[in-house]
Amino acid sequence: MNTSGYYSGFLMKRGKEDSKYRSRKFVLSETDDTLKYFVIEHKDPKAVLRISELNVVFSPEKIGYPNSLQVYYIYIFFEN
């Protein structure tokens, strides 16, 4: 069991444009309070989300897979 607060691996993420699922690398870091995901494994992350601002729910009925999750986050845009 990993108790370091750091996990990385591959998950399937659905695309916006064609709704196909593609394998993406995800990195979860408790110390940084971040969830990062990468389109290309060895490049900069496509997105960096704060764990403390995420809401994750099981959603097998909506997505169609028994162990599927849906991640929600609040994006606040401040205009100057």
Side-chain angles (χ1 to χ4, degrees):
M1 175 181 266
N2 183 347
T3 58
S4 68
Y6 179 89
Y7 296 91
S8 70
F10 290 86
L11 299 171
M12 300 302 286
K13 182 181 180 307
R14 188 169 72 184
K16 287 182 183 179
E17 296 170 12
D18 62 5
S19 297
K20 290 183 181 177
Y21 286 90
R22 294 192 168 73
S23 179
R24 298 289 186 246
K25 180 178 180 181
F26 280 78
V27 176
L28 182 64
S29 172
E30 183 180 20
T31 44
D32 295 341
D33 187 38
T34 59
L35 173 65
K36 299 176 185 178
Y37 90 87
F38 301 79
V39 174
I40 300 172
E41 184 177 354
H42 301 293
K43 297 228 176 187
D44 290 334
K46 169 83 176 188
V48 179
L49 306 170
R50 295 236 167 264
I51 298 169
S52 57
E53 297 173 359
L54 294 179
N55 184 25
V56 179
V57 295
F58 286 102
S59 56
E61 295 84 19
K62 181 177 180 181
I63 297 174
Y65 295 99
N67 56 354
S68 58
L69 297 171
Q70 190 159 7
V71 177
Y72 297 95
Y73 63 96
I74 298 171
Y75 176 76
I76 300 173
F77 176 75
F78 292 101
E79 206 172 317
N80 293 333

